Amino acid sequence: MAVDPPSLLNDLWYFALSGAGLKRGKFVPRMIMDEPMLIGRDADGQVFALSDVCPHRGMPLSEGRFDGREVECCYHGWRFDRGGRCTAIPWLVDGSEIEVSRIKVRRFPAREHLGNVWVYVGDPDKAEDSLPELPPLPAIGVAAPNLSVEMNFDCHVDQAVIGLMDPAHGPFVHSAWWWRPNREMQVKEKEFEPAPFGFRMKRHKPASNSRAYYLFLGGQPETEITFRLPGVRVEHVHAGRYDVVQMTAVTPIDEKTTRINHQIYWTVPWLNALKPFLLHIAYRFIDQDRVIVAKQQRGLKHQQPMLLVRDADTLARWYFRLKKEFAAAAAEGRAFVNPVEATVLRWRS
Ligand code: FES
Ligand SMILES: [Fe+2]
């Protein structure tokens, strides 16, 4: 059965926010997958996520208060626990027939891992222990990201994903004195293989014109890059005794806006001193992607679909095939069969 994948994929974990931005006893409103959510951290430090819409009369719950145990709606004071169950309706008189505990606000499974909060957007009745694994991050002994950049792109999630993983735009979009000067282009040849819900660029030595790696790590670095649905790219650079892990999580805010969270973890002690500089570079790099994708949207309104050719566009083609297969497997109630085949891709960049 051929299925058109939905524009936004359900039944997956989405990056919600960096855990450092969520203090105990606080919540923040976040729009994820066109769902207004309230992401909170209770008095014990556990994270949770609820729909940010009061089931009574639709007030955003994030306009109300949270005491570390229960969220109180600002309109009529209904209270909800972290599992979304209503615990109190202040106006109730003794003997009322309203069954408070049957009133619920939608709950989204939420978990925190290596300093990030993820929410599961999908069937809320799925048992928590049967949920899929979180997108894996290699553990390098660092509990939380050393650096985080967040930015919104004015485009659909698909455009953000394929724009960020596009291997051919570097010399044109990201050229700077510290990164591939003079648009010198070299032939790249990389081995790819399927990985859970995505693909992996096998461990390799980065091209000699990627000067930044040498600049920051010294020694002979080795890189492995993994992509996984819905839109999580993880790059692990290992050099000598050092590790640097970069994660880019692409999360739909709605159909037309997408949030990019780029984070870097490192074990290189002296990188801490360079943090302001690295933050500047990371911000500028992602902003270049934001600007180019925004310009692209002007043209795309007049030419759909895109002409994705072979070689350097293969990753984008894989992304769409992964999405399609994910939707088909869900619709047919069968296991996901990874459509990516191991191959060597060659391009110039
Ligand atoms: S709208 Fe929330 S309590 Fe009335
Ligand atoms: Fe880019």
Side-chain angles (χ1 to χ4, degrees):
M1 173 171 47
V3 190
D4 265 344
S7 160
L8 306 178
L9 289 180
N10 273 306
D11 298 322
L12 285 165
W13 288 99
Y14 283 89
F15 185 99
L17 76 169
S18 169
L22 195 56
K23 304 278 177 250
R24 271 175 201 243
K26 301 279 184 219
F27 57 63
V28 293
R30 282 250 127 164
M31 193 74 167
I32 297 173
M33 291 280 286
D34 225 358
E35 298 272 0
M37 293 189 197
L38 175 155
I39 321 273
R41 186 189 295 285
D42 67 18
D44 301 326
Q46 296 298 311
V47 296
F48 65 96
L50 301 175
S51 164
D52 192 15
V53 181
C54 179
H56 180 219
R57 294 206 212 168
M59 179 60 64
L61 287 173
S62 59
E63 293 292 333
R65 294 188 302 185
F66 179 49
D67 62 4
R69 305 258 161 235
E70 292 177 339
V71 177
E72 184 185 85
C73 180
C74 70
Y75 205 176
H76 311 92
W78 291 21
R79 297 174 69 86
F80 300 90
D81 67 18
R82 293 147 289 172
R85 262 176 316 274
C86 187
T87 55
I89 295 181
W91 78 49
L92 279 194
V93 293
D94 288 347
S96 163
E97 291 189 348
I98 298 174
E99 282 185 69
V100 173
S101 64
R102 293 186 58 171
I103 299 171
K104 288 195 175 94
V105 59
R106 182 172 174 193
R107 173 189 79 91
F108 297 89
R111 275 184 208 162
E112 190 167 25
H113 179 61
L114 292 178
N116 300 311
V117 181
W118 299 80
V119 293
Y120 184 80
V121 182
D123 181 357
D125 294 329
K126 249 187 197 157
E128 199 96 341
D129 52 10
S130 74
L131 292 178
E133 308 259 297
L134 286 176
L137 260 186
I140 58 170
V142 181
N146 299 78
L147 185 152
S148 301
V149 173
E150 178 172 298
M151 207 180 288
N152 289 354
F153 283 19
D154 285 326
C155 66
H156 186 272
V157 63
D158 292 350
Q159 298 301 332
V161 168
I162 67 171
L164 287 163
M165 69 173 150
D166 170 21
H169 71 294
F172 299 93
V173 177
H174 299 301
S175 63
W177 66 265
W178 44 267
W179 183 264
R180 305 178 180 181
N182 309 325
R183 289 192 188 169
E184 65 183 62
M185 301 199 7
Q186 294 185 356
V187 174
K188 303 281 167 62
E189 187 174 288
K190 302 281 154 78
E191 277 185 77
F192 287 85
E193 62 186 3
F197 299 103
F199 50 84
R200 181 181 303 119
M201 183 194 281
K202 286 197 194 169
R203 189 161 287 286
H204 65 281
K205 303 196 186 343
S208 59
N209 63 353
S210 298
R211 205 159 70 178
Y213 289 129
Y214 291 87
L215 214 61
F216 297 132
L217 287 177
Q220 179 62 270
E222 282 193 340
T223 303
E224 182 184 82
I225 300 174
T226 318
F227 174 81
R228 179 188 175 107
L229 288 177
V232 184
R233 177 189 187 276
V234 174
E235 176 173 341
H236 182 183
V237 178
H238 177 78
R241 334 183 248 131
Y242 297 131
D243 289 283
V244 177
V245 170
Q246 302 199 59
M247 177 179 71
T248 315
V250 182
T251 307
I253 296 172
D254 54 32
E255 292 276 350
K256 292 195 166 134
T257 336
T258 301
R259 189 158 40 234
I260 312 300
N261 286 88
H262 184 77
Q263 302 186 317
I264 313 184
Y265 301 70
W266 60 68
T267 58
V268 193
W270 46 268
L271 279 187
N272 296 329
L274 290 176
K275 211 157 149 177
F277 175 64
L278 293 175
L279 194 62
H280 171 78
I281 291 178
Y283 188 87
R284 191 165 134 185
F285 204 88
I286 298 165
D287 198 52
Q288 287 167 338
D289 286 313
R290 182 188 65 77
V291 169
I292 202 78
V293 172
K295 286 180 184 163
Q296 177 198 16
Q297 302 316 301
R298 302 206 318 256
L300 269 184
K301 276 191 202 137
H302 305 278
Q303 192 228 336
Q304 289 272 17
M306 296 170 292
L307 178 65
L308 295 174
V309 295
R310 291 175 192 281
D311 304 335
D313 282 346
T314 302
L315 308 190
R317 290 158 64 117
W318 281 344
Y319 168 71
F320 287 115
R321 285 177 62 193
L322 285 162
K323 232 182 130 172
K324 201 167 180 162
E325 165 59 14
F326 189 86
E332 294 162 24
R334 59 171 173 79
F336 174 87
V337 181
N338 196 321
V340 174
E341 279 168 19
T343 186
V344 175
L345 295 180
R346 299 177 79 231
W347 69 88
R348 211 183 272 280
S349 70

Short mmCIF file of all heavy atoms in Angstrom, two decimals, residues 202-241:
data_model
loop_
_atom_site.label_atom_id
_atom_site.label_comp_id
_atom_site.label_asym_id
_atom_site.label_seq_id
_atom_site.Cartn_x
_atom_site.Cartn_y
_atom_site.Cartn_z
N LYS A 202 29.97 6.63 7.71
CA LYS A 202 30.89 5.84 8.53
C LYS A 202 32.08 6.67 9.01
O LYS A 202 32.46 7.66 8.38
CB LYS A 202 31.40 4.65 7.73
CG LYS A 202 30.40 3.56 7.54
CD LYS A 202 31.16 2.30 7.12
CE LYS A 202 30.22 1.25 6.58
NZ LYS A 202 30.98 0.17 5.94
N ARG A 203 32.64 6.21 10.10
CA ARG A 203 33.79 6.86 10.69
C ARG A 203 34.88 7.09 9.63
O ARG A 203 35.24 6.18 8.90
CB ARG A 203 34.33 5.95 11.80
CG ARG A 203 35.37 6.51 12.68
CD ARG A 203 35.45 5.71 13.96
NE ARG A 203 34.30 5.98 14.84
CZ ARG A 203 34.14 7.10 15.53
NH1 ARG A 203 35.04 8.05 15.49
NH2 ARG A 203 33.08 7.28 16.28
N HIS A 204 35.34 8.31 9.52
CA HIS A 204 36.34 8.64 8.50
C HIS A 204 37.16 9.82 8.96
O HIS A 204 36.80 10.51 9.92
CB HIS A 204 35.64 8.99 7.18
CG HIS A 204 34.81 10.24 7.28
ND1 HIS A 204 33.54 10.25 7.86
CD2 HIS A 204 35.06 11.52 6.92
CE1 HIS A 204 33.06 11.48 7.84
NE2 HIS A 204 33.97 12.27 7.27
N LYS A 205 38.25 10.07 8.27
CA LYS A 205 39.06 11.26 8.57
C LYS A 205 38.49 12.41 7.76
O LYS A 205 38.30 12.28 6.57
CB LYS A 205 40.51 11.00 8.17
CG LYS A 205 41.06 9.77 8.88
CD LYS A 205 42.56 9.72 8.82
CE LYS A 205 43.16 8.44 9.39
NZ LYS A 205 42.36 7.59 10.25
N PRO A 206 38.19 13.53 8.42
CA PRO A 206 37.58 14.64 7.67
C PRO A 206 38.53 15.16 6.59
O PRO A 206 39.74 15.00 6.70
CB PRO A 206 37.35 15.71 8.73
CG PRO A 206 37.66 15.11 10.03
CD PRO A 206 38.41 13.85 9.82
N ALA A 207 37.94 15.77 5.58
CA ALA A 207 38.73 16.27 4.46
C ALA A 207 39.78 17.27 4.96
O ALA A 207 39.56 17.99 5.92
CB ALA A 207 37.81 16.96 3.46
N SER A 208 40.91 17.29 4.27
CA SER A 208 42.00 18.13 4.76
C SER A 208 41.66 19.61 4.66
O SER A 208 42.29 20.43 5.28
CB SER A 208 43.27 17.83 3.97
OG SER A 208 43.03 18.10 2.61
N ASN A 209 40.64 19.97 3.87
CA ASN A 209 40.31 21.39 3.80
C ASN A 209 39.30 21.81 4.88
O ASN A 209 38.85 22.93 4.90
CB ASN A 209 39.83 21.81 2.40
CG ASN A 209 38.55 21.09 2.01
OD1 ASN A 209 38.09 20.21 2.71
ND2 ASN A 209 37.98 21.49 0.89
N SER A 210 38.92 20.89 5.75
CA SER A 210 38.08 21.28 6.88
C SER A 210 39.01 21.73 8.00
O SER A 210 39.21 21.03 8.99
CB SER A 210 37.21 20.12 7.35
OG SER A 210 36.36 19.73 6.33
N ARG A 211 39.55 22.90 7.83
CA ARG A 211 40.64 23.36 8.67
C ARG A 211 40.26 23.50 10.14
O ARG A 211 41.07 23.33 11.04
CB ARG A 211 41.10 24.72 8.14
CG ARG A 211 42.50 25.05 8.47
CD ARG A 211 43.02 26.09 7.52
NE ARG A 211 42.41 27.40 7.74
CZ ARG A 211 42.74 28.48 7.04
NH1 ARG A 211 43.65 28.40 6.10
NH2 ARG A 211 42.17 29.61 7.29
N ALA A 212 38.98 23.80 10.37
CA ALA A 212 38.55 24.09 11.74
C ALA A 212 38.84 22.95 12.70
O ALA A 212 39.26 23.17 13.83
CB ALA A 212 37.06 24.41 11.75
N TYR A 213 38.65 21.71 12.24
CA TYR A 213 38.88 20.57 13.12
C TYR A 213 40.31 20.55 13.64
O TYR A 213 40.57 20.34 14.81
CB TYR A 213 38.62 19.25 12.38
CG TYR A 213 37.19 19.00 12.09
CD1 TYR A 213 36.77 18.66 10.81
CD2 TYR A 213 36.24 19.07 13.10
CE1 TYR A 213 35.44 18.41 10.54
CE2 TYR A 213 34.91 18.83 12.84
CZ TYR A 213 34.51 18.50 11.55
OH TYR A 213 33.20 18.24 11.29
N TYR A 214 41.24 20.77 12.73
CA TYR A 214 42.65 20.72 13.13
C TYR A 214 42.96 21.86 14.08
O TYR A 214 43.67 21.71 15.07
CB TYR A 214 43.54 20.79 11.90
CG TYR A 214 43.43 19.54 11.08
CD1 TYR A 214 42.45 19.40 10.13
CD2 TYR A 214 44.29 18.47 11.32
CE1 TYR A 214 42.32 18.24 9.40
CE2 TYR A 214 44.19 17.30 10.60
CZ TYR A 214 43.19 17.19 9.64
OH TYR A 214 43.06 16.04 8.94
N LEU A 215 42.38 23.00 13.73
CA LEU A 215 42.59 24.19 14.53
C LEU A 215 42.17 23.94 15.98
O LEU A 215 42.85 24.31 16.92
CB LEU A 215 41.72 25.30 13.94
CG LEU A 215 42.21 26.73 13.98
CD1 LEU A 215 43.51 26.82 13.19
CD2 LEU A 215 41.16 27.65 13.34
N PHE A 216 41.03 23.29 16.17
CA PHE A 216 40.47 23.16 17.51
C PHE A 216 40.89 21.90 18.25
O PHE A 216 40.90 21.86 19.46
CB PHE A 216 38.94 23.23 17.47
CG PHE A 216 38.45 24.55 16.97
CD1 PHE A 216 37.48 24.61 16.00
CD2 PHE A 216 38.99 25.73 17.46
CE1 PHE A 216 37.04 25.83 15.52
CE2 PHE A 216 38.56 26.95 16.99
CZ PHE A 216 37.58 27.01 16.01
N LEU A 217 41.21 20.83 17.51
CA LEU A 217 41.48 19.57 18.19
C LEU A 217 42.93 19.14 18.15
O LEU A 217 43.41 18.46 19.04
CB LEU A 217 40.63 18.45 17.57
CG LEU A 217 39.16 18.50 17.91
CD1 LEU A 217 38.44 17.40 17.19
CD2 LEU A 217 38.97 18.37 19.40
N GLY A 218 43.63 19.49 17.09
CA GLY A 218 44.98 18.98 16.92
C GLY A 218 44.89 17.49 16.65
O GLY A 218 43.86 16.88 16.83
N GLY A 219 45.99 16.88 16.21
CA GLY A 219 45.96 15.43 15.98
C GLY A 219 45.10 15.05 14.78
O GLY A 219 44.58 15.92 14.08
N GLN A 220 44.96 13.77 14.62
CA GLN A 220 44.22 13.27 13.47
C GLN A 220 42.79 12.93 13.88
O GLN A 220 42.55 11.91 14.52
CB GLN A 220 44.94 12.02 12.93
CG GLN A 220 44.28 11.38 11.74
CD GLN A 220 44.21 12.29 10.53
OE1 GLN A 220 43.24 13.03 10.35
NE2 GLN A 220 45.24 12.26 9.71
N PRO A 221 41.86 13.78 13.56
CA PRO A 221 40.48 13.49 14.00
C PRO A 221 39.78 12.46 13.12
O PRO A 221 40.13 12.29 11.96
CB PRO A 221 39.80 14.85 13.88
CG PRO A 221 40.62 15.63 12.93
CD PRO A 221 41.97 15.01 12.80
N GLU A 222 38.80 11.81 13.71
CA GLU A 222 37.93 10.89 12.98
C GLU A 222 36.49 11.29 13.25
O GLU A 222 36.13 11.59 14.38
CB GLU A 222 38.12 9.46 13.46
CG GLU A 222 39.37 8.83 12.92
CD GLU A 222 39.37 7.33 13.16
OE1 GLU A 222 38.64 6.85 14.05
OE2 GLU A 222 40.10 6.66 12.44
N THR A 223 35.70 11.27 12.19
CA THR A 223 34.33 11.76 12.32
C THR A 223 33.32 10.69 11.93
O THR A 223 33.55 9.95 10.99
CB THR A 223 34.13 12.97 11.38
OG1 THR A 223 35.08 13.95 11.71
CG2 THR A 223 32.75 13.57 11.54
N GLU A 224 32.23 10.65 12.68
CA GLU A 224 31.10 9.81 12.31
C GLU A 224 29.85 10.66 12.40
O GLU A 224 29.66 11.39 13.37
CB GLU A 224 30.99 8.63 13.28
CG GLU A 224 29.88 7.67 12.95
CD GLU A 224 29.75 6.58 14.00
OE1 GLU A 224 29.11 6.85 15.04
OE2 GLU A 224 30.30 5.49 13.79
N ILE A 225 29.01 10.58 11.38
CA ILE A 225 27.80 11.41 11.36
C ILE A 225 26.58 10.50 11.21
O ILE A 225 26.56 9.63 10.34
CB ILE A 225 27.84 12.43 10.21
CG1 ILE A 225 29.05 13.35 10.37
CG2 ILE A 225 26.55 13.24 10.16
CD1 ILE A 225 29.28 14.31 9.22
N THR A 226 25.60 10.70 12.08
CA THR A 226 24.39 9.89 12.02
C THR A 226 23.19 10.79 11.86
O THR A 226 23.11 11.86 12.47
CB THR A 226 24.21 9.11 13.35
OG1 THR A 226 25.48 8.63 13.75
CG2 THR A 226 23.27 7.95 13.19
N PHE A 227 22.26 10.35 11.05
CA PHE A 227 20.98 11.06 10.94
C PHE A 227 19.87 10.11 11.32
O PHE A 227 19.90 8.93 10.98
CB PHE A 227 20.74 11.57 9.51
CG PHE A 227 19.37 12.17 9.38
CD1 PHE A 227 19.12 13.45 9.80
CD2 PHE A 227 18.32 11.40 8.89
CE1 PHE A 227 17.83 13.98 9.74
CE2 PHE A 227 17.03 11.92 8.83
CZ PHE A 227 16.79 13.21 9.24
N ARG A 228 18.88 10.64 12.02
CA ARG A 228 17.76 9.81 12.45
C ARG A 228 16.47 10.62 12.40
O ARG A 228 16.46 11.80 12.74
CB ARG A 228 18.04 9.37 13.90
CG ARG A 228 16.98 8.52 14.52
CD ARG A 228 17.34 8.36 15.99
NE ARG A 228 16.33 7.65 16.72
CZ ARG A 228 16.46 6.38 17.14
NH1 ARG A 228 17.56 5.72 16.90
NH2 ARG A 228 15.50 5.81 17.81
N LEU A 229 15.39 9.95 11.99
CA LEU A 229 14.08 10.61 12.02
C LEU A 229 13.75 11.01 13.45
O LEU A 229 14.17 10.32 14.37
CB LEU A 229 12.98 9.67 11.50
CG LEU A 229 12.98 9.38 9.99
CD1 LEU A 229 11.87 8.38 9.67
CD2 LEU A 229 12.81 10.63 9.17
N PRO A 230 13.01 12.08 13.68
CA PRO A 230 12.41 12.96 12.70
C PRO A 230 13.39 13.96 12.08
O PRO A 230 13.17 14.39 10.97
CB PRO A 230 11.34 13.71 13.50
CG PRO A 230 11.87 13.74 14.89
CD PRO A 230 12.62 12.46 15.07
N GLY A 231 14.48 14.30 12.75
CA GLY A 231 15.41 15.26 12.17
C GLY A 231 16.56 15.53 13.13
O GLY A 231 16.78 16.65 13.54
N VAL A 232 17.26 14.46 13.51
CA VAL A 232 18.34 14.62 14.48
C VAL A 232 19.65 14.17 13.85
O VAL A 232 19.81 13.03 13.44
CB VAL A 232 18.08 13.80 15.77
CG1 VAL A 232 19.17 14.06 16.79
CG2 VAL A 232 16.71 14.15 16.35
N ARG A 233 20.58 15.10 13.77
CA ARG A 233 21.89 14.81 13.20
C ARG A 233 22.92 14.87 14.31
O ARG A 233 22.95 15.83 15.08
CB ARG A 233 22.22 15.86 12.14
CG ARG A 233 23.58 15.73 11.51
CD ARG A 233 23.83 16.97 10.64
NE ARG A 233 25.05 16.88 9.86
CZ ARG A 233 26.27 17.17 10.31
NH1 ARG A 233 26.43 17.57 11.57
NH2 ARG A 233 27.33 17.07 9.52
N VAL A 234 23.73 13.83 14.41
CA VAL A 234 24.75 13.80 15.45
C VAL A 234 26.11 13.58 14.79
O VAL A 234 26.28 12.65 14.00
CB VAL A 234 24.47 12.67 16.47
CG1 VAL A 234 25.62 12.56 17.46
CG2 VAL A 234 23.17 12.92 17.21
N GLU A 235 27.03 14.45 15.09
CA GLU A 235 28.37 14.33 14.54
C GLU A 235 29.34 14.12 15.70
O GLU A 235 29.38 14.92 16.63
CB GLU A 235 28.72 15.61 13.77
CG GLU A 235 30.13 15.61 13.25
CD GLU A 235 30.42 16.81 12.33
OE1 GLU A 235 29.47 17.43 11.82
OE2 GLU A 235 31.61 17.12 12.15
N HIS A 236 30.08 13.04 15.64
CA HIS A 236 31.02 12.72 16.71
C HIS A 236 32.44 12.78 16.16
O HIS A 236 32.80 12.02 15.27
CB HIS A 236 30.72 11.31 17.24
CG HIS A 236 31.60 10.90 18.38
ND1 HIS A 236 31.54 9.67 18.97
CD2 HIS A 236 32.57 11.57 19.05
CE1 HIS A 236 32.44 9.58 19.94
NE2 HIS A 236 33.08 10.74 20.00
N VAL A 237 33.22 13.71 16.67
CA VAL A 237 34.61 13.82 16.25
C VAL A 237 35.48 13.32 17.40
O VAL A 237 35.32 13.78 18.54
CB VAL A 237 34.99 15.28 15.91
CG1 VAL A 237 36.47 15.37 15.52
CG2 VAL A 237 34.12 15.80 14.79
N HIS A 238 36.34 12.39 17.09
CA HIS A 238 37.24 11.85 18.11
C HIS A 238 38.67 12.10 17.63
O HIS A 238 39.01 11.78 16.50
CB HIS A 238 36.98 10.36 18.29
CG HIS A 238 37.92 9.73 19.26
ND1 HIS A 238 37.76 9.86 20.62
CD2 HIS A 238 39.05 9.00 19.07
CE1 HIS A 238 38.75 9.23 21.23
NE2 HIS A 238 39.54 8.70 20.32
N ALA A 239 39.48 12.70 18.48
CA ALA A 239 40.87 12.95 18.11
C ALA A 239 41.75 12.76 19.32
O ALA A 239 41.58 13.44 20.33
CB ALA A 239 41.03 14.37 17.58
N GLY A 240 42.66 11.82 19.24
CA GLY A 240 43.53 11.56 20.38
C GLY A 240 42.71 11.20 21.61
O GLY A 240 41.93 10.27 21.60
N ARG A 241 42.84 12.00 22.69
CA ARG A 241 42.06 11.72 23.90
C ARG A 241 40.77 12.53 23.92
O ARG A 241 40.05 12.51 24.90
CB ARG A 241 42.84 12.05 25.16
CG ARG A 241 44.31 12.01 25.04
CD ARG A 241 44.96 12.28 26.38
NE ARG A 241 45.66 13.54 26.39
CZ ARG A 241 45.55 14.46 27.34
NH1 ARG A 241 44.75 14.26 28.36
NH2 ARG A 241 46.24 15.57 27.27
#
